[in-house]
Amino acid sequence: MAAVSLENWEERIRDPKVECMSSDEMAALQSKRLVDVVKRVYDHVDFYHKKMKETGVEPGDIRSIEDINKLPFTTKEDLRANYPFGLLAIPQSDVVRVQGTSGTTGKLTIAPYSQKDVEVWGECVARCLTMAGLTKDDILHVCYGYGLFTGGLGLDFGARALGAMTIPMSAGNTKRQMMVMEDLGATAFACTPSYALYLAESIQEAGLTDRLKIRAGIHGAEPWTEEMRKKIENILHINCFDIYGLCEITGPGVAMDCIHHAGLHVNADHFYPEVLNPATNEACADGETGELVFTTLSKEAMPLLRYRTKDLTSIDHSRCACGRTTPRISKFTGRTDDMKVIRGVNVFPTQVETALLSMGGAVAPHYMMIVDREDNLDVLTVMVEVDESMFSDEIRKLDALRDKIAAILKTALGVSVRVKLVEPKSIQRSEGKAVRVIDNRNL
Ligand code: DLL
């Protein structure tokens, strides 16, 4: 396998007219689309009509993108209250498909799409695949699940728009995944980063690394760290890229990082991003972390105004070294609801991942956090998989390793942690989104 080359990278921009637009041109395009979408939802969606009346804002008050903060927010609870089709802005007969969240938290959230919505979605994913250096000559092996979850079909639509060959493997059966990758000569693969690591280790163990033609990995749907990216890249000698999205806005393809890995480029002509201080709802300055909020600018079936994603990030409006001018959001630290408050300290699973990967090869970055309450005190236990070579070592050495991990985690997180070392491969591998935290506190 060989990494993607940087040669002629600047030529690999799918839609330079949009992706390299000046900020004034982009603002003009966004303003035009915002005025239009606000009018559409006011006229066709009862929920927005009422909400705008309550907020005291009329479509005529929205004249440019700068007026966006006059608009009301939309939350996941609003989507649930209007489940399934209460937020449709077009006749139901013009809906061509419905996608949904992976359903890890609460009731299913669905998102209907018109024919044009599906086309825009495919086009956005095609821009992302181009960012990863893919062309129509590539063969994309998709091991995201196909179904209501947007991962499989989203990558599929993108590869189709690009003209690349798609292998719609869907998730599961790692041995078969490896066999098909080799037989059909896949040059790129797409799956969650946690499954990518598992697959990479399996490829290495099977001695297949040099027999595969993979050059790029496209990973997202869950938070992952730069350290994790480098780990997968080093095992497979490829480049990995971070793709972001959510079914309510348009599955994967909302944003993606380029070869410079300096944040994820948002397809901001279709999805207008704001990063807000969750306590005050004021806009954060560039570089400041806050909640990501999206307004869909071109969506027909279910346009959303100022949708609160609960994802935490910061924004950078400067031009990227790749030549794109689209705003970049930083790699995600997590979601507001992933964050655990443990004895008053905010803890994210990604902090554990970074700390474990900083230790070199002794531990594998497969981990699980368990939060309990004992005698009214929060107790955080981190289960860590020990590397095969360490596990056969004597108990004394394992005790020393456990103490070392506990000390590193305490410094990284700011709270004491109980570390439990477990056998290699004993933490459950997931083919979809990894479950990293079990909270037994019933808060
Ligand atoms: O996870 C869409 C997707 C599929 C994205 C495949 C990328 C690749 P949902 O199931 O609706 O959609 O979950 C959306 O997943 O709000 C984030 O919390 C999280 N998420 C998605 N991509 C990333 C990422 C898909 N690259 C929720 N980094 C979002 C961190 C991500 N978190």
Side-chain angles (χ1 to χ4, degrees), residues 101-102 144 149-151 219-224 242-248 251-252 264 309 311 332 335 433:
T101 55
S102 38
Y144 274 118
F149 174 55
T150 49
H219 312 301
E222 65 188 13
W224 56 313
D242 192 355
I243 188 162
Y244 168 83
L246 57 164
C247 92
E248 301 90 309
L264 285 71
T309 65
D311 291 321
F332 291 84
R335 296 173 54 78
K433 297 184 192 236

Side-chain angles (χ1 to χ4, degrees), residues 262-330:
L264 285 71
H265 291 271
V266 179
N267 281 314
D269 52 328
H270 295 295
F271 317 110
Y272 183 77
E274 296 175 86
V275 175
L276 304 181
N277 177 324
T280 62
N281 291 337
E282 294 294 322
C284 291
D286 274 25
E288 234 173 69
T289 300
E291 182 183 349
L292 182 59
V293 171
F294 275 112
T295 298
T296 62
L297 297 174
S298 58
K299 217 98 182 262
E300 288 183 340
M302 189 177 77
L304 294 178
L305 301 184
R306 306 190 86 198
Y307 182 68
R308 305 198 71 133
T309 65
K310 297 196 174 167
D311 291 321
L312 296 172
T313 186
S314 62
I315 199 159
D316 180 352
H317 286 92
S318 66
R319 181 196 174 92
C320 179
C322 72
R324 290 180 183 81
T325 50
T326 39
R328 283 166 289 150
I329 46 179
S330 65

